[in-house]
Amino acid sequence: MDSNVTLIATATMGLEALVAREVKALGYENPIVENGKVEFEAPPEGIARSNMWLRTADRVKIKMAEFPVYSFEELFEQTKAVPWENFLPEDAEFPVTGRSVKSKLYSVPDCQAIVKKAVVERLKKTYKTSWFQENGPLYKIEIAIHKDTAVLTIDTTGQGLHKRGYRPLHNKAPLKETLAASLIMLTNWHPDRPFVDLFCGSGTIPIEAALIGQNIAPGFNRDFISESWHWLDQTIWNKARQEAEDLAKYDQPLDITGTDIDHKMIDLAVENTKEAGLFGSISFKQMQMSDFTTNEENGCIVSNPPYGERIGEKENVEALYKELGKTLRPYDTWSAYFITSNEKFEALYGKKATKKRKLYNGNIKTDYYQYWGKRPVKK
């Protein structure tokens, strides 16, 4: 396939602008930013490169068609008009999933069945057969209808992009890797400055910081559903991996520390760091947040502290936030960033944030409190 494809990088609400910034950094111009997604044009190798490099997106899909739809008949005809044969081989396995919001066609199972039938009818003509074995590569088709506009896509990612391949083990409520990377990319941190996470859990934030600091592609350690597609030549994937290898700065020195009160979490974080191939790049310590001290200047703290969502935890968490404010007060050249759903955070921490940003951690509505340190003195 020589012509461009239209790609959709899906994103958590509030992170679309970051995803668009990453798309532009890959060299794909004029991305269109909408709620929960960023749309852009790219040559076929863009499928491999965007899966390899997008740190903050959830997945990458090929947009096959978009059209207004008010009846099942229209859905069938419009779907059948799409050139599926350009993408799906005769042995393709092509399950259809769906969702429908604020639309006349609200029965998702019916929408899925109609799309499936329309694709089959289209492929029957091309492949001159009435039966498809579906025992070849997987092409996951999705029909998404919103306010009577249908969008048909094929997923190129497989397991979500947050599955970097380094975290087989994690704590009960882990922060998604994509969100952790976003939190870091919303800071003023540079790899030549110290970086600390005071509530590191299984190490996700420090690991994502190290990947960013050494410019290691987040998808380097895993595979993708579209690697088995016949029209996406294996050389495209080889080139994307070679590019990732060439651009990595493995010798960039890093000063990254993760601390947690729970020694089991520290053991887990160390294991995950080994899995990520970053052993030795990050220091982990079991300690209380209130024991944090440093002689360094202009560092950056990024943390996902406990929120106190469970009954009985609230008082402990409020005391913790007060202690956190007291502990960090002496370090006025440091910038500190905290994500929490606790709306009283600023009052408890004892300082108004320089900037606040609404983000979702899974289904939890949170704020990202950003405290900028004094600017470093230019030498």
Side-chain angles (χ1 to χ4, degrees), residues 306-308 313-324 342 344 348-349:
Y307 301 171
E313 286 180 355
K314 216 169 163 201
E315 288 77 17
N316 292 348
V317 161
E318 290 186 354
L320 182 83
Y321 291 167
K322 285 177 183 166
E323 191 65 48
L324 183 62
N342 191 309
K344 294 197 284 188
L348 295 163
Y349 186 76

Side-chain angles (χ1 to χ4, degrees), residues 336-355:
Y337 301 80
F338 304 103
I339 183 171
T340 174
S341 63
N342 191 309
E343 287 168 6
K344 294 197 284 188
F345 181 81
E346 286 167 309
L348 295 163
Y349 186 76
K351 195 178 177 187
K352 204 166 161 35
T354 316
K355 203 173 169 188

Side-chain angles (χ1 to χ4, degrees), residues 207-254:
I207 290 171
E208 289 297 319
L211 293 174
I212 290 167
Q214 295 189 336
N215 201 38
I216 296 168
F220 192 60
N221 221 356
R222 55 161 288 177
D223 44 27
F224 302 95
I225 197 172
S226 46
E227 285 186 68
S228 61
W229 296 355
H230 73 294
W231 56 268
L232 208 54
D233 203 293
Q234 194 53 50
T235 57
I236 283 175
W237 290 99
N238 295 344
K239 267 172 83 174
R241 289 205 159 82
Q242 190 57 52
E243 178 189 33
E245 185 64 48
D246 294 345
L247 293 174
K249 299 172 183 165
Y250 297 119
D251 48 3
Q252 166 71 45
L254 298 170

Side-chain angles (χ1 to χ4, degrees), residues 131-238:
W131 177 253
F132 294 97
Q133 293 260 350
E134 295 202 42
N135 56 2
L138 182 59
Y139 290 78
K140 288 181 173 174
I141 297 171
E142 185 189 57
I143 170 70
I145 308 178
H146 182 250
K147 292 183 180 171
D148 302 317
T149 296
V151 177
L152 286 164
T153 56
I154 301 176
D155 175 31
T156 74
T157 301
Q159 283 199 310
L161 288 176
H162 68 284
K163 299 274 190 191
R164 313 283 209 226
Y166 66 71
R167 201 172 70 176
L169 309 159
H170 52 69
N171 49 331
K172 283 194 289 290
L175 190 71
K176 260 191 178 175
E177 294 85 334
T178 40
L179 179 57
S182 304
L183 298 182
I184 297 155
M185 288 166 78
L186 289 167
T187 72
N188 59 4
W189 180 65
H190 292 286
D192 54 358
R193 292 191 194 166
F195 182 98
V196 176
D197 178 3
L198 296 168
F199 304 90
C200 73
S202 55
T204 309
I205 291 175
I207 290 171
E208 289 297 319
L211 293 174
I212 290 167
Q214 295 189 336
N215 201 38
I216 296 168
F220 192 60
N221 221 356
R222 55 161 288 177
D223 44 27
F224 302 95
I225 197 172
S226 46
E227 285 186 68
S228 61
W229 296 355
H230 73 294
W231 56 268
L232 208 54
D233 203 293
Q234 194 53 50
T235 57
I236 283 175
W237 290 99
N238 295 344

Side-chain angles (χ1 to χ4, degrees), residues 56-159:
T56 59
D58 292 326
R59 59 180 62 247
V60 179
K61 301 172 178 181
I62 299 169
K63 181 180 173 181
M64 297 297 291
E66 180 172 358
F67 47 84
V69 65
Y70 303 100
S71 69
F72 288 130
E73 198 179 335
E74 281 181 319
L75 179 60
F76 180 82
E77 291 303 335
Q78 296 268 32
T79 302
K80 197 177 153 194
V82 175
W84 296 99
E85 66 279 1
N86 293 349
F87 294 84
L88 274 60
E90 190 176 343
D91 63 349
E93 183 187 347
F94 53 102
V96 179
T97 57
R99 52 199 165 90
S100 178
V101 181
K102 296 178 183 165
S103 296
K104 287 189 176 61
L105 307 188
Y106 53 81
S107 167
V108 172
D110 285 343
C111 292
Q112 290 171 189
I114 283 159
V115 167
K116 179 80 178 184
K117 192 177 169 196
V119 177
V120 168
E121 286 306 312
R122 173 86 192 199
L123 295 181
K124 271 183 185 178
K125 282 204 175 91
T126 306
Y127 297 118
K128 310 278 188 284
T129 180
S130 57
W131 177 253
F132 294 97
Q133 293 260 350
E134 295 202 42
N135 56 2
L138 182 59
Y139 290 78
K140 288 181 173 174
I141 297 171
E142 185 189 57
I143 170 70
I145 308 178
H146 182 250
K147 292 183 180 171
D148 302 317
T149 296
V151 177
L152 286 164
T153 56
I154 301 176
D155 175 31
T156 74
T157 301
Q159 283 199 310

